[in-house]
Amino acid sequence: MKRDLAVRRLDEPGRPVVVRLDGRDLELCDGGNLAAELLAAGIEPFRRTPVSGAPRNPFCMMGACFDCLVEIDGVTRQACMTEVAAGMTISRPGAVSETKND
Amino acid sequence: MIEADLVVIGAGPAGMSAARQAVEAGLSVVLLDEQKRAGGQIYRNVAHVSPARADILGPDVTRGGQLVAAIQHPRITHIAGASVWQIEGGTRVAYCVNGVAAVASGKRLLIATGAIERPMPVPGWTLPGVMNAGAAQILVKQSGMVLENAVLAGCGPLLYLVAAQMCRAGSPPLALVETQSTADLLSALRHWPGALRGWRHLVKGLGLLAEIRKAGVKRYSGASAIAVDGADHAEAIRFTVRGRQHCLSCETVLLHHGVVPNTQTARSIGVPHEWQARQRAFVPTRDEWGRSPQNGVFIAGDGAGIGGALAAELAGAISALQIAGDLDALTPAQRDAAARPLRRALRGELALRPFLDRAYPPYQGALSPADETVVCRCEEVTAGEIRKFAKLGCLGPNQAKAFGRQGMGPCQGRYCGLTVTELLAAENGQSPDVTGYYRIRPPIKPVTLGELASMPATGWQPNGKQENDREN
Ligand SMILES: Cc1cc2nc3c(=O)[nH]c(=O)nc-3n(C[C@H](O)[C@@H](O)[C@H](O)COP(=O)(O)OP(=O)(O)OC[C@H]3O[C@@H](n4cnc5c(N)ncnc54)[C@H](O)[C@@H]3O)c2cc1C
Ligand code: FES
């Protein structure tokens, strides 16, 4: 589920906070863009499609494609339109248990 | 409910300059944008970029900073993080902010929702590791993150800008796979006089190319048969140049072949749109002031037709002048006198466009994708299936929904609409205008039941039937 994506930070990362991702603790930068922070943390895929189970990651980063959909505290939201907050519970639709990746 | 003379959706250059022009004429403005900070696409997060990031982004940052400063005005209420999901009665706008739904009501409405990148369906474009080039730029602007070892594929000025910004950030792309050909450039040359009037932009473009060259980025042009390979993530990009096949291994592929108006908001209230052949996209019907046929609704900026950021700024101000005229804050003479220099400047800004549109036409392989290519990312419908629907007698995108689920997923057709129109038009031998586009129904942004429940009682009818619904 983790990969060394080629994301390089240009500025010092912000203050880390702990969120829950699929039942595990993960440190992300407080107030950062959730999609960007998950990408930088190497989280992949964000979800799998209901149609074919294909893996998906953010595509547009501007709220238009809906490929970054994750469940946050029980509600499906666009990660690219969400800011990281301490304690948020994130789960990746279809991405974890039933995939061959984990 | 918050009320103002003018409600503006979109705090990009068009919306910000309209807001400023309107308050200067004495009006009050509510400015809504789903982003947490004003700026729009070009000036995203501009007031908060670090000096190092500002160097990477280039001189546009200065102009953006001025616009953001100009909307700090007592009569402008900027509501950030407000996603607009429905418009009713012409100018009443429902939005959600921090999980709470609310309504802004204006005497006039300006839609300034900008552009999205033109969908570029190539085999493998749904794989993780493949993004829009603009998405990579958003990572820089908003999060200070740069994608390393990327291959950029497609064409257009924004592709060069993103590449140059990556070079400045110290992570030049591995390669630029460009789809325009020498023939495109030659056919663009008949628009050379106009191009010369836009020489400032041309000089800027040449500067970008020089930066890309200096960084040693390999450039291919006239590429076709572009495809991304990979099982669960991009592994390589394949393409053909002059009959020769190439394959570059890479984990990040950034696609871009121009931007098109984001027509979602205007369509959701039934504003008619027409096909603009030169830009190969639909644009909303509007007069020289940006006024749409819908009562009280104006549209300005790239959402009304691609002209770039400076043109968007001018168009926003021109609409605001007419709105001020409508509301008796300016006399017709004052309005016209103020609009004259703006119109002149706008003509100058638009002079380069015909040249650019010819020199960097959209990639043919994505306008008419191979049968097995997925065109609807949400529902995973392929180009071949759309062609099959046409053979079964399907004439337009709405009728096609009875055959497949394309356009019915969460993105509401934003990334397949134009492709489906073009495919059906080509297959049926009809124009895109006759073929039409998806009918867009609110909510245009997701809204939860909890958010709806938080709506104050205003006699509001969520998801009411819109006028001008039309089957095609
Ligand atoms: C990803 C991307 C990156 C770009 N980068 C550049 C660049 O670096 N340089 C350049 O010259 N041009 C760039 N462009 C081109 C761009 O279109 C500019 O010309 C310019 O930003 C257009 O200004 P605008 O005011 O018309 O719209 P925009 O600047 O796009 O502003 C529109 C605003 O509307 C908001 N919005 C849209 N829908 C809703 C809704 N339903 N509810 C609430 N708010 C909404 C958006 O959040 C956005 O802030 C880019 C385009 C894209 C798509
Ligand atoms: S990445 Fe496209 S909506 Fe979030």
Side-chain angles (χ1 to χ4, degrees):
Chain A
M1 85 179 230
K2 275 199 154 207
R3 61 183 297 131
D4 293 323
L5 236 185
V7 179
R8 185 165 62 82
R9 282 185 198 272
L10 298 164
D11 307 328
E12 280 298 304
R15 187 175 68 92
V17 290
V18 177
V19 302
R20 296 284 288 173
L21 176 74
D22 301 318
R24 272 176 271 182
D25 283 349
L26 178 72
E27 280 196 353
L28 299 177
C29 294
D30 195 15
N33 179 276
L34 179 62
E37 294 298 330
L38 289 175
L39 280 175
I43 302 301
E44 182 174 325
F46 276 45
R47 65 184 186 104
R48 282 185 182 266
T49 59
V51 182
S52 73
R56 290 292 166 84
N57 259 29
F59 176 71
C60 75
M61 289 299 291
M62 56 177 281
C65 76
F66 293 74
D67 266 329
C68 64
L69 288 177
V70 292
E71 228 176 84
I72 302 170
D73 300 323
V75 181
T76 304
R77 290 193 187 281
Q78 293 162 288
C80 74
M81 302 297 288
T82 307
E83 288 182 356
V84 173
M88 63 181 9
T89 301
I90 308 157
S91 63
R92 295 178 294 154
V96 192
S97 48
E98 64 273 54
T99 71
K100 53 184 186 246
N101 256 15
D102 285 79
Chain B
M1 182 161 75
I2 177 165
E3 291 185 52
D5 294 318
L6 170 64
V7 174
V8 179
I9 309 175
M16 290 192 290
S17 100
R20 180 68 203 195
Q21 187 72 246
V23 292
E24 269 166 23
L27 304 184
S28 60
V29 178
V30 171
L31 177 58
L32 303 169
D33 197 297
E34 61 184 337
Q35 294 299 328
K36 295 280 178 335
R37 298 193 171 115
Q41 296 307 344
I42 174 167
Y43 309 128
R44 183 180 274 259
N45 204 27
V46 68
H48 296 82
V49 292
S50 64
R53 252 188 275 166
D55 286 343
I56 292 166
L57 295 173
D60 290 341
V61 168
T62 315
R63 184 69 199 135
Q66 289 164 349
L67 281 173
V68 172
I71 59 163
Q72 313 305 315
H73 186 285
R75 278 198 308 278
I76 299 178
T77 310
H78 170 209
I79 305 179
S83 356
V84 170
W85 50 270
Q86 183 170 357
I87 299 165
E88 223 200 41
T91 57
R92 278 192 305 157
V93 179
Y95 60 94
C96 282
V97 63
N98 292 328
V100 178
V103 177
S105 178
K107 296 178 186 140
R108 294 289 180 278
L109 171 68
L110 177 71
I111 299 174
T113 49
I116 63 169
E117 288 176 274
R118 184 190 291 278
M120 190 164 156
V122 298
W125 74 310
T126 54
L127 282 170
V130 183
M131 294 173 108
N132 279 334
Q137 197 202 33
I138 289 171
L139 283 172
V140 175
K141 290 176 178 171
Q142 183 167 276
S143 303
M145 294 177 189
V146 58
L147 294 174
E148 303 199 282
N149 301 320
V151 172
L152 272 62
C155 65
L158 198 55
L159 193 76
Y160 294 142
L161 177 63
V162 174
Q165 288 169 336
M166 295 174 108
C167 295
R168 290 176 210 154
S171 297
L174 285 181
L176 245 63
V177 176
E178 300 176 36
T179 53
Q180 83 286 350
S181 66
T182 324
D184 294 325
L185 187 62
L186 290 176
S187 87
L189 284 179
R190 63 195 163 91
H191 298 286
W192 188 241
L196 286 180
R197 284 180 63 207
W199 63 271
R200 278 195 190 80
H201 291 290
L202 275 187
V203 169
K204 207 168 143 189
L206 290 174
L208 297 177
L209 286 174
E211 284 183 78
I212 294 165
R213 194 173 318 118
K214 199 164 146 226
V217 179
K218 178 97 180 119
R219 286 178 62 195
Y220 302 84
S221 66
S224 61
I226 296 173
V228 184
D229 287 342
D232 268 352
H233 188 99
E235 290 163 21
I237 179 167
R238 274 182 293 123
F239 55 95
T240 304
V241 176
R242 266 173 260 108
R244 215 180 124 206
Q245 290 188 10
H246 297 262
C247 181
L248 310 174
S249 22
C250 61
E251 296 201 342
T252 304
V253 175
L254 302 174
L255 302 174
H256 176 88
H257 65 154
V259 295
V260 292
N262 174 3
T263 57
Q264 220 74 8
T265 310
R267 284 184 187 280
S268 77
I269 51 170
V271 171
H273 285 66
E274 56 217 54
W275 183 252
Q276 216 208 47
R278 179 165 58 78
Q279 297 202 333
R280 275 192 103 130
F282 285 102
V283 295
T285 305
R286 45 203 276 291
D287 70 9
E288 53 167 0
W289 298 98
R291 191 205 314 255
S292 83
Q294 290 290 35
N295 205 8
V297 179
F298 289 70
I299 308 171
D302 271 3
I306 304 304
L310 295 174
E313 203 183 309
L314 292 160
I318 292 169
S319 289
L321 289 172
Q322 172 63 34
I323 290 165
D326 271 3
L327 300 178
D328 295 327
L330 292 178
T331 64
Q334 288 170 320
R335 175 199 68 190
D336 292 345
R340 214 165 292 124
L342 300 179
R343 286 194 198 287
R344 196 176 318 121
L346 182 59
R347 278 194 298 275
E349 265 315 305
L350 296 176
L352 181 60
R353 284 287 143 184
F355 175 82
L356 286 180
D357 292 334
R358 284 287 181 321
Y360 299 104
Y363 169 51
Q364 188 56 40
L367 294 179
S368 178
D371 275 349
E372 45 316 329
T373 311
V374 167
V375 296
C376 165
R377 301 173 62 90
C378 297
E379 301 290 337
E380 299 176 80
V381 182
T382 64
E385 287 173 87
I386 304 294
R387 291 191 177 102
K388 199 175 71 199
F389 302 156
K391 290 204 179 73
L392 292 172
C394 175
L395 295 173
N398 294 308
Q399 203 189 358
K401 285 181 178 175
F403 295 77
R405 286 196 46 87
Q406 66 289 340
M408 295 166 79
C411 98
Q412 295 183 305
R414 286 172 176 86
Y415 283 102
C416 70
L418 284 176
T419 319
V420 169
T421 294
E422 290 239 19
L423 282 169
L424 291 175
E427 214 56 24
N428 291 320
Q430 288 193 316
S431 70
D433 262 328
V434 169
T435 304
Y437 191 85
Y438 292 135
R439 187 175 48 251
I440 304 301
R441 282 271 167 78
I444 52 171
K445 288 278 165 168
V447 54
T448 63
L449 277 179
E451 287 164 334
L452 273 180
S454 70
M455 210 66 173
T458 55
W460 185 264
Q461 288 246 318
N463 218 347
K465 182 146 171 66
Q466 300 294 331
E467 295 155 41
N468 283 5
D469 267 2
R470 179 167 79 102
E471 289 290 332
N472 47 25

